[in-house]
Amino acid sequence: MRCLLAVATVLILGAAPAHAGRVVIEVVDTNGRPVADAIVSLAPMPGTTSRGIAPATRFVDQKDETFLPYVTALHPGDSVIFRNSDNTRHHVYSFSDMVKFEYMLGPGESSPALLMNNPGNAAVGCNIHDQMLTYLYVTKDPEMATTDAQGRASIDGVNAGQYRAHAWHPQLRPGVTLPIQGVTVSEAAPATVRFNLALLPDPRGAMDREHIGY
């Protein structure tokens, strides 16, 4: 009986969740200005156990001839739905290496759920309104967050341990190596991650008045 109790105790302790902490993120450009829409993800180092990931469905809206949000962070196995909240048609498409699709969406219509299988990033446009642009970013890293207008984000409930933090933004120069830094997460105090990114100009243009009403 004592042996059984000892084994049960070991199993219970082994199944106990790791201590969790908070990661605070700040992203700025080379002039020190806050960078919105940067995706920062955390990859666990050997010996660190990350929490599980449940598949999720994300929505990308089309409002005032603008994709909202500008970037969408996803994991393999997640799905994305494009929703048209405008009073005009949109022809949503991507011919990227990661995923290829196109949907003609009338006012109030939504696309089928598009399953994301592979890591990478995809630019998505509208074949009617050329200024419209959004990006899908798919990563295997279990923890991720997108910065707000102040260039800040945070991730709560991260299992304690060692991680590599990666930063991605659609205006990084093509082919550039993604910035990486190490971070130690503990329950004692929030861990801080700060990236300084050199970005290209915003590619989104002004509203295309010529095609309003299509």
Side-chain angles (χ1 to χ4, degrees):
M1 179 63 72
R2 289 180 180 176
C3 291
L4 290 175
L5 288 174
V7 171
T9 301
V10 170
L11 290 175
I12 291 171
L13 291 175
H19 296 297
R22 187 170 195 250
V23 178
V24 177
I25 298 162
E26 183 182 13
V27 182
V28 298
D29 65 13
T30 51
N31 294 313
R33 295 174 298 198
V35 172
D37 300 308
I39 296 174
V40 175
S41 61
L42 305 178
M45 299 286 287
T48 296
T49 302
S50 60
R51 54 184 170 180
I53 304 171
T57 299
R58 310 295 181 190
F59 291 86
V60 177
D61 207 351
Q62 295 149 87
K63 181 68 175 174
D64 297 328
E65 295 189 13
T66 303
F67 282 114
L68 300 171
Y70 181 38
V71 299
T72 301
L74 302 137
H75 290 121
D78 287 351
S79 298
V80 61
I81 294 175
F82 295 91
R83 184 166 49 199
N84 184 0
S85 296
D86 274 334
N87 293 320
T88 183
R89 288 191 304 161
H90 290 300
H91 183 183
V92 183
Y93 74 98
S94 179
F95 298 141
S96 71
D97 292 335
M98 186 184 78
V99 63
K100 294 177 173 61
F101 62 88
E102 55 181 321
Y103 302 116
M104 184 66 76
L105 300 177
E109 293 182 343
S110 296
S111 72
L114 178 66
L115 180 64
M116 298 287 105
N117 289 315
N118 302 310
N121 64 83
V124 180
C126 175
N127 207 27
I128 298 174
H129 309 97
D130 292 339
Q131 86 285 356
M132 293 179 62
L133 188 61
T134 188
Y135 291 86
L136 308 177
Y137 180 76
V138 183
T139 176
K140 290 182 178 180
D141 294 351
E143 308 288 352
M144 59 186 182
T146 304
T147 57
D148 60 17
Q150 286 72 47
R152 296 175 181 171
S154 62
I155 308 175
D156 293 310
V158 180
N159 285 357
Q162 303 288 326
Y163 293 82
R164 281 198 183 98
H166 305 83
W168 179 85
H169 193 279
Q171 289 159 228
L172 284 170
R173 193 173 300 278
V176 69
T177 301
L178 291 186
I180 300 174
Q181 62 179 261
V183 57
T184 299
V185 178
S186 73
E187 62 178 345
T192 301
V193 175
R194 190 176 193 272
F195 284 101
N196 188 306
L197 303 183
L199 301 179
L200 296 171
D202 191 332
R204 293 169 291 180
M207 184 179 292
D208 184 359
R209 298 289 179 183
E210 178 183 354
H211 294 97
I212 289 180
Y214 267 56

